[in-house]
């Protein structure tokens, strides 16, 4: 099946630092999504990207849809303690490139973010 | 508007017992999904539905069955629970199949 490689697996940062994480795929995606999961909760959608090269912000979060359509990036600026959690990327394979058209997302393994006050 | 709700929140089963997990959404979404989440494995799709009365297999369907008799509900059944099914189960729904909205999860332990 589809594989998404998300990196880094974990990050330990100081409050106020910027954070970057990324996902790469072995195939072309037509949608990229970024989710955050707090401990004991379900994933919450942060940002959705639909077009190669697209750059979208949500507060201190900025995500980009890679030009190759095989990768995506998430940046968090000026981190705060409540940014702690697991961040997941997810992608929808391009049905015109052999992917399914039934909205089946492929998820990365997650990046565990720890922010030290 | 409650979004996606899941029942129960926690459950402990003995090997061989059966149970049904209920997912309900009030957003009139066509697509619904069941995932399991295990440490280091991310989210893996068990079964999904593209509309009332339809179901399809995902990545890890063995040992599970599903039904979507009503548009707002998606049930996940375990007929004979095994320790390997100890996991956190998430339901999600979507109007387009792309932006999926998740429930709070059900923590299942099979002893």
């Amino acid at each position: 099946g589809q594989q998404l490689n998300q990196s880094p697996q974990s990050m330990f940062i100081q409050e106020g630092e910027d954070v970057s994480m990324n996902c790469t795929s072995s195939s072309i995606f037509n949608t990229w999504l970024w989710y955050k999961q707090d401990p004991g909760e379900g994933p919450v959608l942060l940002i959705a990207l639909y077009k190669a090269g697209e750059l979208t912000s949500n507060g201190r979060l900025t995500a980009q849809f890679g030009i190759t359509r095989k990768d995506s990036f998430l940046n968090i600026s000026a981190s705060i303690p409540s940014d702690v959690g697991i961040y997941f990327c997810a992608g929808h394979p391009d049905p015109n490139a052999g992917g399914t058209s039934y909205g089946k997302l492929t998820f990365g393994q997650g990046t565990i973010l720890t922010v030290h006050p | 508007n409650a979004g996606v709700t899941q029942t129960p929140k926690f459950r402990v089963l003995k090997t061989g017992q059966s149970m049904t997990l209920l997912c309900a959404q009030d957003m009139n979404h066509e697509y619904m999904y069941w995932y399991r989440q295990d440490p280091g494995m991310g989210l893996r799709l068990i079964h999904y539905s593209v509309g009332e009365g339809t179901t399809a297999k995902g990545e890890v369907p063995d040992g599970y069955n599903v039904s979507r008799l009503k548009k707002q509900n998606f049930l996940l059944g375990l007929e004979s629970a095994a320790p390997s099914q100890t996991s956190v189960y998430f339901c999600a729904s979507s109007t387009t199949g792309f932006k999926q909205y998740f429930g709070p999860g059900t923590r299942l332990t099979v002893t």
Side-chain angles (χ1 to χ4, degrees):
Chain A
Q2 305 284 348
Q3 293 291 328
L4 275 187
N5 291 315
Q6 185 171 349
S7 65
Q9 289 187 343
S10 62
M11 301 182 75
F12 298 84
I13 62 171
Q14 290 294 128
E15 184 177 357
E17 288 184 357
D18 297 344
V19 172
S20 292
M21 58 190 80
N22 68 81
C23 267
T24 58
S25 167
S26 57
S27 54
I28 291 172
F29 283 12
N30 67 357
T31 301
W32 283 98
L33 304 157
W34 285 91
Y35 287 85
K36 182 193 178 201
Q37 185 178 26
D38 290 328
E41 305 287 334
V44 173
L45 182 63
L46 298 173
I47 293 177
L49 303 157
Y50 301 104
K51 201 165 119 178
E54 181 180 354
L55 190 72
T56 297
S57 293
N58 178 4
R60 294 178 295 105
L61 278 63
T62 302
Q64 184 164 23
F65 193 140
I67 293 292
T68 65
R69 299 175 64 196
K70 291 185 177 183
D71 53 11
S72 181
F73 309 88
L74 176 70
N75 295 313
I76 305 173
S77 62
S79 59
I80 59 179
S82 62
D83 289 334
V84 164
I86 306 176
Y87 291 81
F88 290 99
C89 62
H92 186 277
D94 187 345
N96 296 321
T100 179
S101 60
Y102 286 117
K104 288 165 65 177
L105 297 178
T106 299
F107 283 83
Q109 296 95 330
T111 294
I112 301 170
L113 178 64
T114 303
V115 180
H116 294 290
Chain B
N1 190 336
V4 179
T5 58
Q6 292 182 233
T7 309
K9 293 192 187 308
F10 303 93
R11 186 71 187 268
V12 179
L13 286 180
K14 294 187 188 304
T15 297
Q17 288 185 321
S18 63
M19 78 163 294
T20 300
L21 281 67
L22 171 64
C23 175
Q25 53 96 3
D26 61 3
M27 298 175 282
N28 201 35
H29 286 171
E30 289 293 334
Y31 296 79
M32 295 189 74
Y33 308 82
W34 276 107
Y35 293 90
R36 62 177 288 173
Q37 184 177 36
D38 303 294
M41 301 289 288
L43 288 154
R44 293 185 292 169
L45 183 64
I46 305 172
H47 285 282
Y48 64 102
S49 168
V50 300
E52 181 179 314
T54 75
T55 63
K57 294 180 180 179
E59 182 186 353
V60 289
D62 293 343
Y64 306 95
N65 56 75
V66 287
S67 65
R68 183 113 180 256
L69 299 179
K70 293 183 178 181
K71 186 177 184 179
Q72 64 268 35
N73 295 336
F74 196 28
L75 279 64
L76 178 71
L78 286 73
E79 289 185 348
S80 180
S84 61
Q85 293 178 304
T86 292
S87 188
V88 182
Y89 292 86
F90 288 103
C91 175
S93 71
S94 173
T95 185
T96 63
F98 298 141
K99 291 166 72 171
Q100 295 182 17
Y101 296 89
F102 285 81
T106 294
R107 280 158 180 73
L108 175 66
T109 301
V110 183
T111 62

